[in-house]
Amino acid sequence: MKFAVLVFPGSNCDIDCYKAVEDTLGEPVDYVWHTATDLSAYDCILVPGGFSYGDYLRCGAIARFAPVMAEVAKAAEQGKYILGICNGFQILTEAGLLPGTLRRNTSLKFRCHDTVLRVENNDNPFTTQYQKGEEIHIPIAHGEGNYYCDEETLAQLKANNQIIFTYVDNPNGSLEDIAGVSNERGNVVGMMPHPERAVDSLLGSEDGKRMFTSILKAWRDRHESASVR
């Protein structure tokens, strides 16, 4: 399985994502610059956190126009796995690949600390190695992590089981404590907390590791079933 870690001007969690894949999975992983126009070689695309283009206008509003995002949209349509973390989540919502938007934290302050998440959906390619209802420790670091959507979208999220994680103690005012969502198909996931910063006990938690091992298992299962056919 081959991973791409996108890099925009202002990305600062790209190295964390790269090391999480390299150290946790030992699978091939490349940095891919925002000007890239071909992602066909990759099975999973990680859109990392940071401050793409300085977070001017709105977080992710400029990055969504980068050339590579047309390829991300194409990969999503092809059913490839895409994970947007923090600023990556913001970019995916701005690009229309995930529903909703991220607003300023209700405290109007940058929040950087450990949080406890509840796994709401463990039937997603990124979460199969968790238990539904399990509480996991994943850190946050954001100023605009307040998830919002309209009532109709919220109803769709619930009906389609697209709410992946919720906060146990909401740190930013997110609607219904939402910390992460998926697209309807389930192959695109966005979350504000940073699983790549929770893959080793030295980092304070290993609870993020299973997001990476889950996606590797999903990819292997898909390819094994395809080879049998």
Side-chain angles (χ1 to χ4, degrees), residues 98-136:
L98 287 174
T101 191
L102 285 307
R103 307 187 298 184
R104 290 288 300 277
N105 296 345
T106 51
S107 65
L108 301 183
K109 295 180 179 179
F110 189 88
R111 301 292 298 268
C112 183
H113 53 75
D114 189 30
T115 60
V116 181
L117 305 183
R118 181 176 292 110
V119 180
E120 301 293 346
N121 178 356
N122 70 334
D123 193 29
N124 178 276
F126 286 95
T127 60
T128 56
Q129 296 191 346
Y130 296 103
Q131 297 298 314
K132 182 176 172 59
E134 182 180 356
E135 294 185 358
I136 60 176

Side-chain angles (χ1 to χ4, degrees), residues 51-71:
F51 302 90
S52 59
Y53 297 93
D55 278 349
Y56 290 110
L57 299 182
R58 293 181 310 278
C59 297
I62 298 177
R64 63 86 73 236
F65 290 106
V68 75
M69 290 308 298
E71 295 303 303

Side-chain angles (χ1 to χ4, degrees), residues 103-178:
R103 307 187 298 184
R104 290 288 300 277
N105 296 345
T106 51
S107 65
L108 301 183
K109 295 180 179 179
F110 189 88
R111 301 292 298 268
C112 183
H113 53 75
D114 189 30
T115 60
V116 181
L117 305 183
R118 181 176 292 110
V119 180
E120 301 293 346
N121 178 356
N122 70 334
D123 193 29
N124 178 276
F126 286 95
T127 60
T128 56
Q129 296 191 346
Y130 296 103
Q131 297 298 314
K132 182 176 172 59
E134 182 180 356
E135 294 185 358
I136 60 176
H137 293 259
I138 306 288
I140 61 167
H142 59 248
E144 298 187 23
N146 179 356
Y147 182 82
Y148 175 79
C149 63
D150 59 30
E151 291 183 5
E152 181 181 356
T153 301
L154 180 61
Q156 292 173 346
L157 290 176
K158 291 180 176 179
N160 298 324
N161 203 22
Q162 292 174 244
I163 299 173
I164 305 299
F165 298 111
T166 57
Y167 297 107
V168 172
D169 185 12
N170 193 330
N172 50 37
S174 288
L175 179 70
E176 302 228 355
D177 304 323
I178 291 172

Side-chain angles (χ1 to χ4, degrees), residues 13-77:
C13 302
D14 45 333
I15 296 175
D16 296 343
C17 286
Y18 187 103
K19 295 298 292 183
V21 172
E22 186 177 57
D23 295 346
T24 300
L25 302 179
E27 295 292 313
V29 55
D30 293 328
Y31 293 115
V32 177
W33 194 233
H34 64 113
T35 54
T37 56
D38 185 3
L39 293 176
S40 60
Y42 300 100
D43 305 296
C44 182
I45 299 160
L46 304 181
V47 191
F51 302 90
S52 59
Y53 297 93
D55 278 349
Y56 290 110
L57 299 182
R58 293 181 310 278
C59 297
I62 298 177
R64 63 86 73 236
F65 290 106
V68 75
M69 290 308 298
E71 295 303 303
V72 173
K74 185 186 299 183
E77 191 171 329

